[in-house]
Amino acid sequence: MRKPLPPRQDALWWWRHPAYRRYMLREATALPLFLYALCLLYGVRELGRGETAFQAWLAFMESPPLIALQAVALLAVLWHAWTWFQLVPKILVIPTRHGTLPGHWLRLAHVVPAALCWLLLPLLAWWALGQFAGGGA
Amino acid sequence: MSGSLKVRVQRYRPEEDDAPWWQSFEVPWSEDTSVLDALNHIKDVEDGSLSYRWSCRMAICGSCGVMVNDEPRLGCKTFLRHYADADEIVLRPLENLAVERDLVSDIDPMLAHIETVQPWLQREQAEAPEAGETLQTPVQMARYESFSHCINCGLCYAACPQFGRNPDFLGPAALTLAQRYNLDSRDEGREARMPFLNGEDGVWACTFVGYCSDVCPKDVDPAAAINQGKVASNVNYAVNLFRLLRGGDDA
């Protein structure tokens, strides 16, 4: 007579192996980004309410706990991006004449544009702000 | 290089036990003693009532999968010498599957999932042998070859927390085999398989934990196969949408 023990996944399964802990860390990067997104939405609302409210929001964002949150969110987004760039060669298979494009090229094709965006977008924003401020003066 | 090592084994005898319990053995080892050899030693010398699956001893049959210190491994491909510095090795039946007895897991759910995706070469029209071979170039073969090394050992199912959470998830081996046949230039069964890949328990239930690929004893890389399946599922969605917009059937 059969009497099989049913499988049971306990609540702490993710703590049991480093591979699971790395996975959970990657997924948990969404949490600080979620909080940061809430802060930005709050900022948009305050912007609509006038300059005093917006200045108060800016001061709020510069308070030590919020600076800490933004630092954590920045690290989280960098880590998340890095882990996904590492996984790209598993997903993206680009056939060539003699096989497929090597993984390190695929990773490079993601890392380089991302790094360029990181450098160029803030520069562009800084330049645009300068133009805007210059035009207003 | 030799010595002896404490081997702690999870026991469960359905006739007598209501819950699993632990039994320890001191097992002598030399450089070439595998976990399977240790189990055979225990059964031959210490306790003949111990049950476990095995057959080929060379990582071909896929029978001897067990949890070794909480990692899914083939007993025949895991050696005691790698645990020489540990206090003990702990053997449990494969995670996420029901336990029939001692180290014997019930792999029927996995086999049912594999059958679901119809992992065999399908042709739209039957061909007589006289028509000759269906030829394939080395480049065409390379597209799916690594995915065809699966031996159905179930280690990837023991490694997959999504399968642990939802046993209806088709799981790493089944979705890898679906991708293996979809990528085969000789196969014409893609349209029969895609509904299962697109479904709720298909490729989209995978969250890319990736541990299945770490534990695979044949380097199949199921995580890659499943996530390439997501690309195929997206393409299939667009094709279906186009067909429906033109008043046709989806497939």
Side-chain angles (χ1 to χ4, degrees), chain B residues 6-247:
Chain B
K6 188 173 152 194
V7 178
R8 196 149 61 93
V9 185
Q10 181 179 310
R11 301 295 309 268
Y12 172 66
R13 299 160 302 176
E15 300 86 2
E16 301 158 66
D17 303 328
D18 289 321
W21 50 283
W22 293 97
Q23 192 175 14
S24 292
F25 304 93
E26 199 67 29
V27 176
W29 61 270
S30 58
E31 205 162 346
D32 58 356
T33 306
S34 66
V35 166
L36 178 59
D37 292 331
L39 287 170
N40 283 337
H41 171 85
I42 292 169
K43 190 168 178 78
D44 291 346
V45 180
E46 307 275 350
D47 187 340
S49 71
L50 181 69
S51 294
Y52 50 97
R53 279 206 186 95
W54 69 289
S55 180
C56 77
R57 302 167 286 107
M58 51 180 120
I60 292 296
C61 73
S63 305
C64 63
V66 285
M67 302 296 290
V68 182
N69 288 2
D70 286 334
E71 290 182 344
R73 302 190 70 98
L74 287 184
C76 66
K77 217 187 161 190
T78 307
F79 293 89
L80 264 58
R81 64 173 186 269
H82 294 136
Y83 300 87
D85 295 332
D87 294 336
E88 60 174 7
I89 62 169
V90 180
L91 305 181
R92 289 189 293 123
L94 288 179
E95 199 84 55
N96 302 331
L97 295 163
V99 182
E100 286 291 340
R101 172 187 295 274
D102 295 338
L103 298 176
V104 179
S105 304
D106 176 14
I107 58 168
D108 278 355
M110 174 187 85
L111 297 179
H113 287 338
I114 288 175
E115 208 177 329
T116 299
V117 300
Q118 308 177 13
W120 52 82
L121 279 181
Q122 298 181 36
R123 304 286 287 177
E124 277 164 16
Q125 289 187 326
E127 290 145 342
E130 299 80 58
E133 305 92 337
T134 309
L135 296 177
Q136 189 168 62
T137 67
V139 171
Q140 285 173 326
M141 184 174 159
R143 278 191 208 136
Y144 69 84
E145 205 241 345
S146 67
F147 300 150
S148 71
H149 294 174
C150 175
I151 55 174
N152 305 347
C153 63
L155 298 196
C156 51
Y157 283 77
C160 177
Q162 293 298 343
F163 178 71
R165 200 178 134 268
N166 169 24
D168 292 331
F169 172 41
L170 290 176
L175 292 169
T176 300
L177 282 170
Q179 185 69 1
R180 174 248 175 277
Y181 283 94
N182 280 350
L183 290 175
D184 194 320
S185 59
R186 300 164 297 176
D187 179 80
E188 292 167 344
R190 172 186 284 264
E191 292 203 354
R193 291 184 202 105
M194 285 319 285
F196 299 108
L197 262 70
N198 296 337
E200 201 163 319
D201 298 318
V203 288
W204 299 103
C206 164
T207 52
F208 217 152
V209 179
Y211 190 40
C212 52
S213 297
D214 293 350
V215 303
C216 178
K218 306 303 280 186
D219 295 327
V220 169
D221 205 347
I226 298 172
N227 286 282
Q228 287 168 32
K230 288 178 185 171
V231 179
S233 179
N234 274 328
V235 171
N236 186 251
Y237 177 81
V239 170
N240 280 340
L241 198 66
F242 189 65
R243 281 193 199 177
L244 286 170
L245 287 174
R246 294 190 61 187

Side-chain angles (χ1 to χ4, degrees), chain A residues 1-9 13 16-17 19-20 22-23 26-27 84 87 89-91 93 97-99, chain B residues 12 14 17-18 20 71 95-100 106 159 161-162 164-165 207-209 211 221 224 227-228 231:
Chain A
M1 190 192 72
R2 286 184 63 199
K3 196 176 83 178
L5 281 176
R8 211 177 41 205
Q9 188 180 56
W13 64 266
R16 222 177 291 131
H17 196 276
Y20 295 147
R22 280 195 298 272
Y23 160 72
R26 186 187 82 201
E27 299 298 297
W84 279 108
L87 294 174
K90 282 184 186 279
I91 308 167
V93 181
R97 198 182 296 177
H98 303 292
Chain B
Y12 172 66
D17 303 328
D18 289 321
E71 290 182 344
E95 199 84 55
N96 302 331
L97 295 163
V99 182
E100 286 291 340
D106 176 14
Q162 293 298 343
R165 200 178 134 268
T207 52
F208 217 152
V209 179
Y211 190 40
D221 205 347
N227 286 282
Q228 287 168 32
V231 179

Side-chain angles (χ1 to χ4, degrees), chain A residues 89 92-96 99-106 109:
Chain A
L92 205 56
V93 181
I94 299 179
T96 59
T100 53
L101 210 61
H104 58 270
W105 282 111
L106 290 170

Side-chain angles (χ1 to χ4, degrees), chain A residues 46-61:
Chain A
E46 296 301 280
L47 185 64
R49 291 178 64 194
E51 194 179 344
T52 323
F54 187 67
Q55 290 299 335
W57 176 76
L58 279 181
F60 166 69
M61 288 301 276

